[in-house]
Amino acid sequence: MNLLLLAVILLLSGCGKQKYPVSEVIFEDRYSLEGAENMEFVFSKDSTLVVRQWGIYELKENASGEAVVRVCLDDIDRELPEDYNFSEYLIREEKEHIVLTYISEELDGDSNSMRLYFLDGDDGLRSDAAFDGAYQIGEDGDSYQYIFEKDGSITMQIAEHYYADHDHMILVDHAGSTEYLYEKSDDVLILKNMNEEPILTLIKESETEN
């Protein structure tokens, strides 16, 4: 999983199952994350928040002939293919799901596995060509998805709920909730921890970008 998005997930997630109250203050805006043009935060009037990060992927075999998927969720506006920062995952099929395992010299493979459940489109991770298809990451009802497209693009999507009053915001997903302080202007939304330290700076997108 891309380190930037992983950091955002850790910031947004809490622990324990939570209910989803209707927000007191309603947001209906689309934001990009400052410093990461390939991430967006979409707030809707039904108190939902969708976080997306998009990139590119490749389906290949490694030197041992094992099926792998290479995913890049970094800045994808680079001039040369060798400049892309790919993460490589072994693909293993089990009865009802696919396991993606990221292995590096620093990390143990078993502790870096993701279970993917097919949702929609083509179950293309079982093939060797780009495809249109979506997978649930983790159990049914979890908040994370991978969306693959035939043009070689991929989107990592997180489904959240938000609750905001005049200066506090709670973000909730399947894992639990986290509370923030926030400041909002016409163009910027800043989420802070409870020590008033900025955590995320979100830049409002213009309607022409939507």
Side-chain angles (χ1 to χ4, degrees):
M1 197 176 294
N2 171 262
L3 292 179
L4 176 58
L5 185 56
L6 177 59
V8 171
I9 290 172
L10 292 174
L11 287 169
L12 296 184
S13 300
C15 57
K17 297 293 183 180
Q18 301 289 331
K19 294 182 179 180
Y20 302 143
V22 177
S23 182
E24 180 180 331
V25 176
I26 297 298
F27 291 77
E28 291 187 75
D29 299 310
R30 187 182 299 261
Y31 294 88
S32 60
L33 177 64
E34 184 178 53
E37 293 184 359
N38 63 329
M39 287 193 70
E40 70 174 5
F41 292 66
V42 182
F43 291 84
S44 300
K45 63 182 179 181
D46 62 356
S47 299
T48 59
L49 165 64
V50 175
V51 183
R52 298 187 181 97
Q53 184 172 12
W54 53 89
I56 55 178
Y57 75 98
E58 300 174 343
L59 294 170
K60 294 184 174 294
E61 290 185 352
N62 62 15
S64 301
E66 298 170 300
V68 300
V69 58
R70 302 178 71 230
V71 177
C72 174
L73 290 171
D74 288 332
D75 178 4
I76 58 173
D77 294 325
R78 302 187 183 187
E79 294 184 3
L80 299 174
E82 56 265 31
D83 293 333
Y84 292 117
N85 180 24
F86 281 95
S87 297
E88 191 166 293
Y89 300 87
L90 291 173
I91 302 172
R92 186 174 78 251
E93 295 187 38
E94 297 193 358
K95 288 184 178 180
E96 297 180 353
H97 58 273
I98 291 175
V99 176
L100 298 186
T101 302
Y102 172 65
I103 299 176
S104 73
E105 295 179 357
E106 296 82 14
L107 298 173
D108 174 73
D110 290 338
S111 64
N112 292 277
S113 295
M114 293 182 287
R115 287 186 296 176
L116 270 59
Y117 293 83
F118 175 64
L119 287 177
D120 190 30
D122 296 322
D123 190 3
L125 281 175
R126 305 171 191 272
S127 67
D128 58 0
F131 64 100
D132 292 325
Y135 292 84
Q136 178 77 44
I137 304 174
E139 302 294 341
D140 183 33
D142 284 3
S143 305
Y144 316 135
Q145 294 181 5
Y146 272 136
I147 302 170
F148 295 85
E149 297 189 35
K150 191 174 290 186
D151 63 1
S153 62
I154 184 173
T155 301
M156 171 70 170
Q157 181 168 285
I158 308 170
E160 301 268 334
H161 288 74
Y162 70 89
Y163 175 83
D165 58 21
H166 68 286
D167 60 1
H168 287 73
M169 180 181 293
I170 299 173
L171 299 183
V172 186
D173 65 14
H174 76 277
S177 63
T178 305
E179 183 174 0
Y180 299 91
L181 301 172
Y182 77 90
E183 292 182 7
K184 184 179 183 298
S185 67
D186 289 341
D187 301 316
V188 177
L189 173 63
I190 301 174
L191 299 185
K192 302 179 178 182
N193 62 23
M194 301 311 290
N195 293 322
E196 300 189 13
E197 299 166 331
I199 300 297
L200 297 175
T201 299
L202 306 180
I203 311 300
K204 185 176 179 180
E205 297 180 0
S206 65
E207 292 188 4
T208 56
E209 295 176 298
N210 295 343

